[in-house]
Amino acid sequence: MTQADANAASARPNPSAPGIGRRAALLSGAGAAVAMAAGAAVPARAQARPPLTVAIGTDLITQDPCRIAGGNDYFFFANVFEGLYGPDENGKPAPLLAESHTASPDGLSYEFTLRPNARFHSGEPVTAEDVRFSWQRAVAPETRNPRASVLVANIADVEVLDQRRCRVKLKQRDASFLDNCGEYWYIISKKHAEAGGENPFDRQPIGTGPFAFVERRVRSYIKLRGFEQHWGRVPAFGEVTLKIIPDDQSRVAQVQTGESDIVTNVPPVLAAPLQRLPNVQVVRAPSFQNIYIAINALNGHPGLRRADVRRALNMAVDKAALLRATMLGFAQQLEQPCHPDIFGCDAQVTPYGYNPDRARQILTEAGFDFGRPLKLLGQGTGRVPQARETLQGVAAFLNRIGIRTEINMLDYGAWISVYGARQKDPSVDMVFANFTDYNADPSGRLLRQVRTGATYSWYSNPEIDAMLDRMNDFASIEERRAFVRRLFARLHEEAPLIPLWTVDSIYGVGRGLSWKPTPHVSWPVLWNVRRAS
Amino acid sequence: MARFLLTRLGQALVTLALLTVLIFVLARLTGDPTPLVLPSEATEADRAFFRQQYGLDRPVHEQYVVFLRNVLRGDFGISFRYREPAFDLVLAAIGPTLQLAGVSMLVAILLGLPLGIAAALRPGSWLAATVRGYASLGQAMPTFWTGLMLIFVFAISIPVLPSSGYGTAANFVLPAVTLGFYASASVTMLTWANMTEALRSDFVQMERVLGIPRRLIVLKHALRNASLPIVTYLGLQFGLLLGGAVVTERVFAWPGVGQMLVDAILNRDYPVVQAAVMLTAVLVMTINLVVDLLYAVLDPRVSRS
């Protein structure tokens, strides 16, 4: 598929006349202000657009795209804001605000042409000047963007070529640049940011996404409205209410009663009975939320510093059985430390498989000290589905080959303090862990998960470090793919962790709707929800 | 009466002063908030700036002095998580909590008082046995289970009420019944026991001999004498509901202060923890003061002593 084909595929024609739903605009002063700013007439069909109610589990932490603190906030940003690039309906990177781009042969600069019909929710067109400003604000020290280090800090300059064209110059070659444009560099309105005072996005988050912000009540709901002037992803719904229902049972009840049209984060144990209800369909999509057991190869049990011992631990755990028992099948089993759809994670490696006898034999030959128990650290609260049961299952499989285990479950805050500590705790041998890839590029995770001294790395290997440092320094995609395959193959041999599975995103959806959730993202992207025909 | 009030107020102030120390220290014992507030992509410089911005890099005693000075001005700081004034966040959550606690107490009183009185008036009857069963059930059933069962029956099986949420009168019914049912069990038993005792007392016997109507004896004289422990219990229960209705708030997605406090503790959002505990404490003390005053009204001997 050519660049033009990709653009054509991702940009659906906007059949509606420009306008903003009257009902949504009347809901709040802020919404009304946006509607007035847009200065557009209200088409009759906008009023007929039905409302959509979605029950979600957690509230938003920030409305400012330069202050995103974690993956939990993406349910908002993925619907209200956009980058130059971002995931398409199949989770693949596709041009969003950019119509097309060209990359220089050295991979150090990208020239983007913006879509002619890309607009902010205020009605203003998106210009190259906005792109430049979005970068400047994202890296400005006073913004305190906690995630600037991933992408925007590597931008040397954004040159405005004309109203719709700009050139992004990088300090260093970064093969993950386009992939990360979706989650690490949202385009914002210069006019709004400069006119909006100290925290313009806290008051009124104006983006370019398929949904515009209307109002919010902290810990209760967020109201959005379908943005009819969107360049292509025009939602079928007018007012969208995101209700915050923290309790899993109560959230699932929302779709059973018809109070909500969609519920997110359905735990596997509740998904199975939900499937039997006549008025609800359970929709699932693969995600990049990786569940694994990190092995302390630094300063824990001395045996864990040996790669053959770590490989034996991989053989000791029957992942398929554990997945069936704890996740009830709502996950994708992993053999490598990544989902097969991650870039370069299609290396041909021999899976370890479940082989407890061979595992025991390797450990014995390696002189593993069975007398010293392995201390396992787990998450005790419900951030990750079946976290407690999964670690208990892993411990049971280790017990079967003669390894004694001691489990310590901590609440998330205490757990992440230990897991992400600069100095790793020598009294911890293995950690139940989860890490979500925001897109198909593996570098963000690997650099934090296995590089020496990284936040979540319990492993050190200069050879792997050198490969990680090199992995983004490619101009040719195919050369990089071959390199990343070699890296994953080496990581498979080194076994710094026991990869278990990626969790499926599970949604309860009313029968009256038709929706294909975007695969490989762990948050609902709602623009393609339609009424079932 | 004035001296009584002043004594109570003085005690409340001392308690609040001690509470500032306790909550300040306990909040910090939960650990460093940085890993929970900043993403894993944050650099060391980002983390250092965060600590500096919120004064977390200063010695603890200095942090306490700043905290105390700000609290006296009504400033509890900015929430680490929401980046909004902590007091405003808590104030927005205390309204729904007070409303729910109030309606729940009303349910508890409307159910508990008549049932307790009725059981005391007919000892050994089928009515008394039924009331005993009701009270036992109310005390034995945990609120999260009652809540989920009510959702199952009245929102899913017979869809007449919303399963969760806040904002309309209908939203009050299930959570208020959940909490009210639980509290009504104790109110019933307390009323029953104290009314039984009051009805056996000499003054009630004398009133009967004097031919005073039974309704007047029960509702005016016996109930007034039996009411002191019930009022005490209701005061305590109201205080508990202010900060302790966490499970019910969670099940019904009620945006109250209990759930907010638990979230703040789990996320190490010190300013919100401090503001929520202090505000709840002030409310509980106010309720206790009101209960003390009610004592004095119900039994003038209290203020005289």
Side-chain angles (χ1 to χ4, degrees):
Chain A
M1 185 185 273
T2 63
Q3 179 71 61
D5 291 337
N7 292 352
S10 62
R12 289 184 172 181
N14 180 350
S16 58
I20 292 173
R22 179 189 290 167
R23 187 177 168 203
L26 288 174
L27 272 169
S28 76
V34 176
M36 287 165 69
V42 180
R45 64 185 294 276
Q47 295 175 43
R49 290 190 172 224
L52 181 76
T53 305
V54 182
I56 57 177
T58 52
D59 194 10
L60 192 60
I61 296 173
T62 180
Q63 295 169 186
D64 189 332
C66 289
R67 289 178 183 153
I68 299 174
N72 277 349
D73 285 355
Y74 277 116
F75 73 84
F76 177 77
F77 289 100
N79 287 295
V80 177
F81 287 86
E82 287 170 324
L84 296 171
Y85 259 65
D88 66 8
E89 281 183 87
N90 298 311
K92 308 280 186 200
L96 295 185
L97 290 176
E99 185 178 57
S100 62
H101 85 276
T102 55
S104 64
D106 62 4
L108 281 170
S109 80
Y110 292 80
E111 195 174 307
F112 291 98
T113 302
L114 300 174
R115 292 181 187 276
N117 55 346
R119 287 183 177 275
F120 290 107
H121 300 144
S122 57
E124 304 281 335
V126 179
T127 66
E129 194 57 53
D130 292 311
V131 178
R132 178 177 166 77
F133 178 78
S134 302
W135 162 65
Q136 288 173 326
R137 184 172 186 268
V139 291
E142 61 272 20
T143 305
R144 304 309 312 178
N145 178 358
R147 306 192 321 151
S149 62
V150 175
L151 183 139
V152 288
N154 188 40
I155 296 176
D157 193 14
V158 177
E159 280 179 34
V160 176
L161 303 175
D162 62 34
Q163 175 114 350
R164 283 183 47 218
R165 290 189 310 124
C166 62
R167 183 178 297 125
V168 178
K169 292 182 173 174
L170 303 184
K171 294 173 185 169
Q172 292 178 326
R173 209 151 47 181
D174 179 9
S176 67
F177 176 73
L178 287 178
D179 285 285
N180 283 333
C181 272
E183 290 80 23
Y184 288 95
W185 188 23
Y186 287 115
I187 304 305
I188 56 174
S189 161
K190 180 181 181 183
K191 188 178 170 186
H192 173 63
E194 288 185 339
E198 195 181 345
N199 298 310
F201 294 91
D202 287 344
R203 290 191 301 103
Q204 181 64 36
I206 289 181
T208 61
F211 295 94
F213 175 83
V214 176
E215 67 168 343
R216 174 187 180 201
R217 185 188 165 99
V218 173
R219 299 167 61 240
S220 282
Y221 63 80
I222 299 161
K223 283 194 176 169
L224 311 174
R225 62 173 168 75
F227 182 44
E228 296 182 11
Q229 288 179 280
H230 194 268
W231 50 263
R233 296 176 166 183
V234 179
F237 294 89
E239 182 185 310
V240 175
T241 305
L242 304 172
K243 287 162 81 172
I244 297 148
I245 316 274
D247 185 70
D248 291 339
Q249 296 266 10
S250 307
R251 196 167 58 253
V252 168
Q254 285 276 313
V255 74
Q256 288 177 262
T257 60
E259 291 168 90
S260 290
D261 302 297
I262 297 174
V263 294
T264 68
N265 298 96
V266 177
V269 288
L270 295 180
L274 207 58
Q275 281 174 317
R276 293 192 286 273
L277 296 178
N279 62 332
V280 181
Q281 47 185 326
V282 172
V283 177
R284 59 198 275 195
S287 83
F288 284 154
Q289 188 184 7
N290 300 274
I291 305 297
Y292 58 94
I293 307 293
I295 299 172
N296 184 355
L298 296 172
N299 57 1
H301 190 298
L304 301 178
R305 286 163 220 175
R306 294 178 57 131
D308 54 350
V309 167
R310 298 194 297 268
R311 285 194 288 270
L313 296 179
N314 270 273
M315 290 176 202
V317 179
D318 186 349
K319 296 174 193 174
L322 198 55
L323 190 153
R324 277 197 308 276
T326 61
M327 298 300 292
L328 307 178
F330 288 99
Q332 314 289 320
Q333 188 182 324
L334 297 180
E335 292 303 333
Q336 295 193 57
C338 53
H339 189 280
D341 286 345
I342 290 281
F343 181 86
C345 193
D346 48 359
Q348 294 299 311
V349 296
T350 309
Y352 292 117
Y354 175 54
N355 194 341
D357 296 334
R358 177 78 184 122
R360 170 88 193 177
Q361 184 189 351
I362 293 171
L363 292 176
T364 307
E365 287 170 4
F368 185 81
D369 180 5
F370 286 93
R372 178 173 163 176
L374 288 184
K375 294 180 179 170
L376 277 51
L377 179 69
Q379 279 184 38
T381 50
R383 286 214 181 197
V384 177
Q386 311 298 102
R388 180 187 293 267
E389 293 79 1
T390 300
L391 189 66
Q392 287 166 340
V394 168
F397 281 116
L398 296 177
N399 297 158
R400 281 192 189 180
I401 61 167
I403 297 175
R404 291 192 294 130
T405 52
E406 291 174 7
I407 298 177
N408 183 19
M409 294 286 182
L410 297 178
D411 76 80
Y412 182 81
W415 169 86
I416 203 164
S417 296
V418 177
Y419 180 48
R422 283 174 68 90
Q423 294 296 321
K424 301 306 180 199
D425 186 344
S427 71
V428 175
D429 297 313
M430 299 171 90
V431 187
F432 170 90
N434 64 296
F435 199 122
T436 301
D437 296 298
Y438 289 158
N439 51 56
D441 187 85
S443 54
R445 172 158 60 97
L446 292 180
L447 285 167
R448 278 172 278 158
Q449 191 185 36
V450 287
R451 202 191 183 288
T452 303
T455 313
Y456 302 129
S457 176
W458 293 66
Y459 168 78
S460 173
N461 183 332
E463 180 207 344
I464 297 289
D465 290 350
M467 293 183 85
L468 288 169
D469 292 344
R470 170 94 173 90
M471 76 182 296
N472 285 340
D473 191 18
F474 287 89
S476 156
I477 288 177
E478 284 317 308
E479 279 178 34
R480 184 179 186 236
R481 191 187 303 278
F483 182 85
V484 174
R485 279 180 185 149
R486 285 204 300 280
L487 170 61
F488 276 122
R490 279 294 293 129
L491 282 173
H492 182 70
E493 288 167 7
E494 279 290 300
L497 45 94
I498 304 174
L500 295 175
W501 50 71
T502 51
V503 175
D504 285 351
S505 300
I506 311 173
Y507 302 94
V509 180
R511 287 276 175 203
L513 297 179
S514 153
W515 182 42
K516 182 195 165 202
T518 308
H520 307 322
V521 296
S522 299
W523 42 87
V525 181
L526 298 167
W527 70 270
N528 58 345
V529 179
R530 295 283 182 265
R531 281 174 152 172
S533 52
Chain B
M1 181 61 96
R3 192 176 165 189
F4 171 75
L5 262 177
L6 281 174
T7 310
R8 287 287 188 272
L9 278 173
Q11 287 169 345
L13 283 176
V14 172
T15 310
L16 273 181
L18 289 172
L19 193 66
T20 60
V21 181
L22 199 66
I23 191 58
F24 182 85
V25 172
L26 287 178
R28 273 143 191 84
L29 284 180
T30 57
D32 179 13
T34 320
L36 286 161
V37 175
L38 294 178
S40 59
E41 295 94 335
T43 61
E44 270 313 307
D46 293 328
R47 291 168 202 276
F49 179 81
F50 170 79
R51 292 190 189 99
Q52 185 203 339
Q53 188 183 22
Y54 287 96
L56 301 173
D57 55 344
R58 296 190 200 175
V60 175
H61 65 274
E62 271 185 38
Q63 289 183 45
Y64 177 72
V65 171
V66 173
F67 163 70
L68 202 59
R69 202 171 52 209
N70 290 340
V71 165
L72 290 173
R73 293 200 304 246
D75 176 8
F76 282 84
I78 303 293
S79 160
F80 299 160
R81 191 169 169 80
Y82 293 107
R83 293 187 176 87
E84 287 183 33
F87 191 69
D88 293 355
L89 286 168
V90 175
L91 216 52
I94 204 85
T97 294
L98 279 171
Q99 291 167 355
L100 181 59
V103 178
S104 303
M105 292 315 296
L106 200 65
V107 171
I109 292 167
L110 290 177
L111 287 171
L113 274 185
L115 287 174
I117 294 169
L121 289 173
R122 290 182 173 77
S125 67
W126 64 268
L127 180 68
T130 309
V131 168
R132 186 177 295 281
Y134 168 85
S136 303
L137 208 64
Q139 285 177 324
M141 278 168 31
T143 50
F144 76 87
W145 190 82
T146 310
L148 288 174
M149 285 304 106
L150 288 175
I151 289 174
F152 180 75
V153 175
F154 295 106
I156 296 174
S157 301
I158 314 163
V160 290
L161 289 166
S163 63
S164 56
Y166 169 76
T168 66
N171 288 121
F172 275 89
V173 178
L174 295 185
V177 169
T178 301
L179 286 173
F181 174 53
Y182 181 76
S184 74
S186 303
V187 175
T188 303
M189 293 306 281
L190 265 175
T191 310
W192 186 352
N194 286 285
M195 278 298 285
T196 303
E197 198 180 322
L199 289 170
R200 282 184 195 144
S201 60
D202 293 343
F203 76 90
V204 169
Q205 302 300 330
M206 179 59 76
E207 285 175 338
R208 279 182 182 157
V209 170
L210 292 173
I212 295 173
R214 192 181 180 211
R215 196 168 145 200
L216 207 63
I217 296 172
V218 171
L219 294 180
K220 191 170 178 190
H221 301 288
L223 185 59
R224 183 168 180 169
N225 272 274
S227 61
L228 280 185
I230 301 167
V231 169
T232 309
Y233 173 78
L234 288 174
L236 286 172
Q237 191 64 28
F238 197 82
L240 273 177
L241 289 180
L242 289 182
V246 180
V247 176
T248 308
E249 285 182 2
R250 186 177 172 85
V251 166
F252 292 102
W254 197 264
V257 80
Q259 179 69 28
M260 170 179 266
L261 181 57
V262 171
D263 286 345
I265 291 168
L266 290 174
N267 289 301
R268 297 177 186 166
D269 197 345
Y270 303 162
V272 173
V273 173
Q274 288 159 178
V277 172
M278 292 296 290
L279 192 60
T280 310
V282 169
L283 282 172
V284 170
M285 284 172 190
T286 309
I287 290 160
N288 286 345
L289 195 64
V290 171
V291 169
D292 286 344
L293 289 174
L294 268 177
Y295 269 22
V297 172
L298 290 168
D299 184 353
R301 288 171 302 179
V302 174
S303 56
R304 281 201 296 271
S305 66

